[in-house]
Amino acid sequence: MSILLVEDEAPKRKNIRSLLEQMDLLGLVSEACSVGSAIRSLRSSSFDLILLDMSLPTFDIVAGESGGRAQGFGGVEVLRYMDRFKLPTAVIVVTAYPAFSQGDKEIDLTELGKNLEAQHPKIFRGIVFYNSMFSTWRDELKTKIEEVIIR
């Protein structure tokens, strides 16, 4: 099973990698840190699973570069790309935000999950709220990964 981990925050990425290592999946992981690098990875390789952050910079953040415009729904851009090119890869969203602003409206994770399910029914496999202060995210993510592996 090949996995693409799309995450721009190093501590969160490290914690997710730690979970994947415990699940004996770490050797199968590629990484991307922005919308742009995620799409480049999807163009050049195929994956069985994508662990996708929702809030991503447009481009990778490197010395002297800001990463372009921050996108609160950058993960949605990756999902749209996947739909456009009919990429069948399962996607689990892992976000540290309990809600997102959309115009003057706030969308909680339950509503976001329903929206993503409706818009991307063939690939979206769920959303996990990441909070480094608690371990519940680990159990939730592990369960969702195992569900994808079993399918």
Side-chain angles (χ1 to χ4, degrees), residues 4 30-32 36-47 81 87:
L4 177 61
S30 298
E31 292 183 4
S37 62
I39 290 172
R40 277 193 306 280
S41 293
L42 290 168
R43 282 184 185 148
S44 64
S45 302
S46 62
F47 300 94
Y81 174 86
L87 302 178

Side-chain angles (χ1 to χ4, degrees), residues 96-108:
Y97 293 101
F100 291 85
S101 293
Q102 192 170 39
D104 61 348
K105 182 181 176 189
E106 191 165 283
I107 299 173
D108 67 15

